Amino acid sequence: MQVGSLLQQLDPSHLTVPHRSLPPSSALLERGEAHESAAGPCFEKAEIQRQRKKGGLLCDLFLEQDNHHLNSRSPVHGWGYFLDCMESERSKRMGNACIPLKRIAYFLCLLSALLLTEGKKPAKPKCPAVCTCTKDNALCENARSIPRTVPPDVTSLLFTSNSFDVISDDAFIGLPHLEYLFIENNNIKSISRHTFRGLKSLIHLSLANNNLQTLPKDIFKGLDSLTNVDLRGNSFNCDCKLKWLVEWLGHTNATVEDIYCEGPPEYKKRKINSLSSKDFDCIITEFAKSQDLPYQSLSIDAFSYLNDEYVVIAQPFTGKCIFLEWDHVEKTFRNYDNITGTSTVVCKPIVIETQLYVIVAQLFGGSHIYKRDSFANKFIKIQDIEILKIRKPNDIETFKIENNWYFVVADSSKAGFTTIYKWNGNGFYSHQSLHAWYRDTDVEYLEIVRTPQTLRTPHLILSSSSQRPVIYQWNKATQLFSNQTDIPNMEDVYAVKHFSVKGDVYICLTRFIGDSKVMKWGGSSFQDIQRIPSRGSMVFQPLQINNYQYAILGSDYSFTQVFNWDSEKATFVKFQELNVQAPRSFTHVSINKRNFLFASSFKGNTQIYKHVIVDLSA
């Protein structure tokens, strides 16, 4: 504000003051006359009250100031002191006639404050050297980066033909009035997620004709006034990182010019505006290392008992069955209990009603059945398995047929018998010996439908080192398994494991030498659908975690390969490798909505992996 404009509002006639002596201000106070400070807001009320308590008015305050106040060369101070002292006399004699003088003093004090404030205001930012600025617009060319000194009042900002290729966070901070932003015909390759943060007034944004292949998610978040976006002339790669843009285009109210994909090949020249989120398959999974257990192992089984989840691991060298439980505080598996034996190869749990039993198969010292005593809180041996039949156990499978519980032991000795045992209410007794002298290495229980039948019936598949896998079918009349057929052209199969996809039954056949296979049940026989090289493999384990079907192929000579089922191709596709020494089994364990993979190792530590779901579009 100019000083002259303020002084012109004052009436000069009011500046004439009669020459007479002024009574002391205390006299006015004694008369009880009201006093109003001519200084108005220029003085604090607390100071006024202090002066009144001392018996004087504001002119006394002026007189009590240091001498340099009265001798100040500032005309404002001089007028303020003079008029304030003058007011006391004029108020006594003239009443309201002194009001114009109050106005003069008020304006002069206000003018003083304005002058002081004006001197403290920061200078407005100058236009950057690489830009051309007018009152509302700025054009920047040949800049190496986004300048930080653009005038804050601009409403339109244009960047063209610049050399920078990256725009960082908060690049346009301090431009609250910006409505139009054009970043066109540059070589921009990367823009940060918070580049446009704070531009709440932005209406139009153009990133046309740059070298952008993707845009970070939520880059337009907070741009509530945005009505037009131009992204043409960029080389967008329509992968999972751009899925969010397709979803944003589907619900934004802003007008967006048509843009096209440059990749991947299947989407080249596709209009991005026409894509949907269903066109992107961005959810992948992986097995991440979670925990190491410092001991070797062979078989691993998970089971539920009294509403808790447990894992039992067979340790061949210590001869123990180690039971683990989930630590809900530490979020790890910890020791729960153990059964001590010798050369333990399988620890198979079976829960009948509410009672837990464990079948412990050993290479030496015989095999036994243990019962969990809830009162003594320990395992108690209740039964020995006949040593004349089970000489060298290699695998155990449990199953239930018509409310009867069974388990079968595959015996790999020359003189042993693969035998089925049945629960009779007090213990397990020998129910059926399948065959002798075949050195069985694995047994698998599954239910399949045989044409022309429509109901699934129980079957067993025995793998042997001396013959092709043999399929046995359950005979309901005799309550026994009968030999039906074998799987042709599949010699030297170490193990067979089954899985189901959409009602179809498949098996994974493990071979130590040659190719392992995936086969599908066709109603009367299994048919080849996939071969997988598997030199040195002793386990090819299918397992399902939620909606994901996997098959894990272990090897004594290379990395463990994890395959994922491709529903369109109806085959397994390799997607991950795990470093497990001499793996013998892979087991899925589910606890508190967490999924784990236990990998046994005959030569190294037992490993635990966590099943992780990753969203590539996040």
Side-chain angles (χ1 to χ4, degrees), residues 321-378:
C321 294
I322 297 294
F323 292 83
L324 304 179
E325 65 177 352
W326 178 250
D327 188 326
H328 294 272
V329 177
E330 298 296 332
K331 307 301 181 185
T332 58
F333 290 92
R334 65 186 180 190
N335 287 344
Y336 170 70
D337 205 344
N338 67 81
I339 297 174
T340 302
T342 57
S343 61
T344 303
V345 293
V346 181
C347 304
K348 197 70 176 183
I350 178 171
V351 178
I352 300 176
E353 296 179 352
T354 60
Q355 182 60 57
L356 170 63
Y357 300 92
V358 181
I359 305 136
V360 180
Q362 301 181 144
L363 295 180
F364 306 101
S367 298
H368 314 283
I369 300 175
Y370 289 80
K371 171 184 176 180
R372 183 68 181 181
D373 190 324
S374 57
F375 296 101
N377 197 28
K378 65 179 181 179

Side-chain angles (χ1 to χ4, degrees), residues 305-316:
Y305 176 58
L306 299 180
N307 298 320
D308 282 321
E309 302 295 325
Y310 298 90
V311 179
V312 57
I313 302 175
Q315 297 182 358

Side-chain angles (χ1 to χ4, degrees), residues 203-371:
I203 298 174
H204 182 99
L205 172 63
S206 176
L207 298 171
N209 301 317
N210 284 287
N211 196 23
L212 293 169
Q213 294 186 4
T214 190
L215 290 172
K217 188 176 182 180
D218 296 332
I219 191 173
F220 303 130
K221 187 176 182 180
L223 305 183
D224 302 329
S225 302
L226 199 60
T227 60
N228 192 277
V229 179
D230 192 351
L231 301 172
R232 294 174 297 175
N234 289 284
S235 303
F236 287 115
N237 187 33
C238 297
D239 57 9
C240 289
K241 293 182 180 179
L242 214 63
K243 179 183 177 182
W244 76 268
L245 180 61
V246 173
E247 296 173 344
W248 181 80
L249 290 172
H251 67 256
T252 183
N253 293 324
T255 300
V256 183
E257 304 292 341
D258 288 344
I259 49 179
Y260 296 86
C261 302
E262 287 297 321
E266 60 267 27
Y267 287 154
K268 189 175 178 65
K269 301 305 179 183
R270 284 277 301 272
K271 187 186 295 185
I272 297 179
N273 311 59
S274 67
L275 296 176
S276 69
S277 58
K278 296 181 180 179
D279 294 316
F280 298 86
D281 184 12
C282 299
I283 303 299
I284 66 168
T285 61
E286 67 176 5
F287 292 98
K289 191 68 163 298
S290 174
Q291 190 176 348
D292 257 351
L293 303 178
Y295 44 75
Q296 295 85 7
S297 58
L298 283 178
S299 72
I300 300 177
D301 283 277
F303 64 96
S304 298
Y305 176 58
L306 299 180
N307 298 320
D308 282 321
E309 302 295 325
Y310 298 90
V311 179
V312 57
I313 302 175
Q315 297 182 358
F317 299 109
T318 63
K320 292 182 177 180
C321 294
I322 297 294
F323 292 83
L324 304 179
E325 65 177 352
W326 178 250
D327 188 326
H328 294 272
V329 177
E330 298 296 332
K331 307 301 181 185
T332 58
F333 290 92
R334 65 186 180 190
N335 287 344
Y336 170 70
D337 205 344
N338 67 81
I339 297 174
T340 302
T342 57
S343 61
T344 303
V345 293
V346 181
C347 304
K348 197 70 176 183
I350 178 171
V351 178
I352 300 176
E353 296 179 352
T354 60
Q355 182 60 57
L356 170 63
Y357 300 92
V358 181
I359 305 136
V360 180
Q362 301 181 144
L363 295 180
F364 306 101
S367 298
H368 314 283
I369 300 175
Y370 289 80
K371 171 184 176 180

Side-chain angles (χ1 to χ4, degrees), residues 528-548:
D528 289 4
I529 63 169
Q530 187 175 7
R531 289 174 175 263
I532 299 176
S534 58
R535 179 176 175 269
S537 296
M538 297 186 71
V539 54
F540 187 19
Q541 179 68 54
L543 53 88
Q544 185 173 7
I545 301 178
N546 297 331
N547 296 323
Y548 300 96

